[in-house]
Amino acid sequence: MTTLSINSGPAARRARAWLRARWRGLVLPAAAILAWWALARLDWVSTPLLVSPGKVLDTAASQISSGRLWRALSASLAREFTGFAIGSALGLVLGALLGLLPLFNRVVGPSFNTFKQISLFAWIPLISVWFGLGDVAKVTFLSLAALVPVVVNTCDGIRNTPAALLEVARVYGYSRWQTLLHVVLPSAAPSIFTGIYLALIYSWLATIGAEYLLVAGHGIGNTLIEGSEHFQMDLVIFGMFVIGLVGWSMNALARALERRLARHRHGAA
């Protein structure tokens, strides 16, 4: 009876539900890989554009053992986190100013709204002329990618603070600083975190674009270029898998951090 109650308890049911959800998410990738293997194995499609999964695994082993993967990935991640940090920091400051200062919003807001309508990749010709094709140009490009979502979500989060909370702060005689620290920022925190999360994802996507278009230097985007130029589809597919895996890992870490912060906020409340 004890064993039965343990196995059918809430924790066990949650664990089984979690496993079912994860397995369902793996069905489509597993089916795609199986179909890919079958096409390559049975020679149903005869083209050099379709390489076998085994060939991709051999390329992965070669890239890892030679250290080329780590050199490319470390260069890309260094640019990603530098651009993300710069863009997010500037975005938090600008978003807070737009959200807190009505006069600043009236003066700067229209210009920023025009700026954010410009396609990110439209800046590459100008950036390449100003900064060349090296890391400075790439980090500048990534900073722009991270800037906009942080500004927009920070400003919206601050300006959408419920009026009832602000009224309670006035009733209790809060100063402007106390209202900002204890009312506005906690209320805006979910929106601000959403902006930072989007900045992390967008800057990673922009990293690959910057390395593909600003080709100087090492990076995982340059690995794709190398494979494409030498018609090595196994290298191209390997690079795509690495890019997807890194993006998935960033997404998972950001979501885990968001849940942890949410539990902390609820506990503090």
Side-chain angles (χ1 to χ4, degrees):
M1 294 295 292
T2 303
T3 303
L4 179 61
S5 63
I6 291 175
N7 292 336
S8 61
R13 287 195 295 270
R14 285 196 297 269
R16 288 195 295 269
W18 183 86
L19 287 173
R20 283 196 299 270
R22 291 299 180 269
W23 280 112
R24 283 196 295 267
L26 292 174
V27 169
L28 183 58
I33 292 174
L34 183 62
W36 172 26
W37 176 85
L39 288 173
R41 180 73 175 178
L42 301 176
D43 290 330
W44 289 345
V45 179
S46 179
T47 171
L49 297 178
L50 181 66
V51 295
S52 67
K55 178 64 173 175
V56 176
L57 289 176
D58 291 340
T59 300
S62 173
Q63 289 283 317
I64 293 171
S65 61
S66 66
R68 284 178 290 178
L69 172 62
W70 310 122
R71 287 193 296 271
L73 195 55
S74 61
S76 294
L77 290 175
R79 297 185 191 107
E80 143 79 8
F81 289 124
T82 302
F84 165 72
I86 294 173
S88 296
L90 295 176
L92 288 171
V93 173
L94 182 56
L97 292 175
L98 290 171
L100 294 171
L101 304 177
L103 179 59
F104 186 85
N105 195 344
R106 286 195 295 270
V107 173
V108 179
S111 298
F112 175 76
N113 288 332
T114 302
F115 165 81
K116 72 181 183 181
Q117 301 304 320
I118 301 174
S119 171
L120 180 62
F121 288 95
W123 291 99
I124 283 187
L126 192 61
I127 290 173
S128 63
V129 171
W130 284 354
F131 302 107
L133 301 177
D135 282 346
V136 174
K138 294 183 178 73
V139 169
T140 301
F141 181 72
L142 302 184
S143 300
L144 290 176
L147 176 73
V148 172
V150 176
V151 173
V152 171
N153 284 276
T154 300
C155 178
D156 288 347
I158 290 174
R159 297 184 69 184
N160 291 330
T161 302
L165 295 180
L166 297 175
E167 182 62 29
V168 170
R170 281 193 291 268
V171 169
Y172 279 94
Y174 277 22
S175 65
R176 289 176 63 88
W177 176 251
Q178 288 174 318
T179 302
L180 173 64
L181 190 62
H182 298 294
V183 178
V184 176
L185 289 182
S187 173
S191 181
I192 293 173
F193 187 87
T194 297
I196 294 174
Y197 163 75
L198 292 175
L200 180 66
I201 302 303
Y202 289 172
S203 58
W204 174 242
L205 298 177
T207 299
I208 309 306
E211 291 174 351
Y212 201 87
L213 297 173
L214 304 170
V215 295
H218 295 287
I220 195 67
N222 301 95
T223 300
L224 295 179
I225 296 174
E226 179 186 349
S228 176
E229 289 179 346
H230 294 87
F231 214 66
Q232 295 177 282
M233 293 300 103
D234 51 318
L235 188 58
V236 173
I237 294 173
F238 167 71
M240 292 173 62
F241 270 111
V242 171
I243 292 168
L245 182 61
V246 172
W248 178 87
S249 301
M250 289 182 178
N251 179 76
L253 288 173
R255 291 303 187 189
L257 179 60
E258 182 182 26
R259 289 192 294 268
R260 186 179 182 88
L261 291 176
R263 287 195 298 267
H264 178 73
R265 286 197 303 268
H266 292 327

